[in-house]
Amino acid sequence: RKEHHIKQVNFLKDMIKVRKMFPCFRLEKAEEVRKYCHVEEMDFRMICITYDYPMGEYDQVKLFVNPSDSNYTILLKEGEYDLISDMDGLQLTSLKDLKLKVPPISLMVVAKKTKAK
């Protein structure tokens, strides 16, 4: 059965890696979640979950959820971002453009790099 669903199995393995990479996905207390996690309804269908939680190389992680059957374009705020994962799994690539296209029925994880001091 695993061989028949290998794409989904590999996707879940990658999402477990993402969870382990970012402490914001492992907050244990409700007050921590309320403090660091913000949910924004982009319109009647798109959701952005933002974690403003310093994590060394990154100070913010955004999880975009597009449950609709249409592409959704996001304009990220100024800064440098990495695409952490999408529906193809773990990516870990720099985003060259602040305009991000979130495909239909998908999720995408993007992390904002910490500003150099």
Side-chain angles (χ1 to χ4, degrees), residues 13-14 28-30 39 45 49 52-53 67 77 93 97 111:
K13 285 181 179 180
D14 281 352
E28 294 181 6
K29 298 180 180 174
V39 179
R45 58 184 183 233
I49 303 167
D52 288 309
Y53 190 86
K77 293 182 179 171
T93 58
D97 191 354

Side-chain angles (χ1 to χ4, degrees), residues 54-69:
M55 297 163 277
E57 184 179 356
Y58 303 106
D59 60 7
Q60 187 181 74
V61 175
K62 290 184 173 288
L63 173 65
F64 295 103
V65 180
N66 184 359
S68 76
D69 58 358

Side-chain angles (χ1 to χ4, degrees), residues 1-30:
R1 191 167 183 202
K2 175 184 169 185
E3 290 172 10
H4 181 71
H5 298 285
I6 195 67
K7 186 176 179 180
Q8 291 85 357
V9 169
N10 289 335
F11 176 78
L12 286 174
K13 285 181 179 180
D14 281 352
M15 292 303 99
I16 291 169
K17 288 177 189 174
V18 170
R19 183 175 183 270
K20 288 180 178 180
M21 287 172 59
F22 292 95
C24 64
F25 292 132
R26 299 188 313 273
L27 297 175
E28 294 181 6
K29 298 180 180 174

